[in-house]
């Protein structure tokens, strides 16, 4: 990845890249009906960078930087983006979360 100097806050739409660990996450139904071309709405000036990389379930490419966007452990799931503002893609994740 070519890394660029980035303007923050990051405001915009990005596609998620699922990590290899997402399929072993016990709440794998969280990603039911997920499509690689789904876009999610981000508004932030910071990001989580967990020391245990296997907690990262999805990331996104921001100017050549792979930024964690979904983390999960046990029965906890955290999103860096706003699913409630992400149209049908976000509503799908919310629906999946509720059904877990």
């Amino acid at each position: 990845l070519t890394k660029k100097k980035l303007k923050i806050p990051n405001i915009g739409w990005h596609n998620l890249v699922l990590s290899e660990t997402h399929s072993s996450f016990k709440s794998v139904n969280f990603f039911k009906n997920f499509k690689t071309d789904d876009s999610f709405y981000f508004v932030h000036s910071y990001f989580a960078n967990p020391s245990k990389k296997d907690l990262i379930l999805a990331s996104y490419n921001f100017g050549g930087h792979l930024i964690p966007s979904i983390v999960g452990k046990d029965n906890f799931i955290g999103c860096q983006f706003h699913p409630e503002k992400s149209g049908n893609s976000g509503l799908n994740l919310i629906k999946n979360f509720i059904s877990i």
Side-chain angles (χ1 to χ4, degrees), residues 18-74:
L18 298 182
S19 70
E20 292 178 13
T21 58
H22 93 277
S23 59
S24 61
F25 185 62
K26 73 179 196 176
S27 295
V28 73
N29 286 338
F30 182 69
F31 295 101
K32 184 178 177 184
N33 299 320
F34 173 84
K35 295 180 224 71
T36 56
D37 61 345
D38 286 345
S39 292
F40 298 88
Y41 187 69
F42 289 78
V43 179
H44 61 88
S45 298
Y46 58 91
F47 67 95
N49 190 13
S51 58
K52 294 183 179 182
K53 300 304 180 199
D54 61 330
L55 300 179
I56 301 171
L57 304 178
S59 300
Y60 71 100
N61 184 343
F62 183 53
H65 301 269
L66 205 54
I67 307 293
S69 55
I70 300 176
V71 295
K73 182 177 181 190
D74 301 328

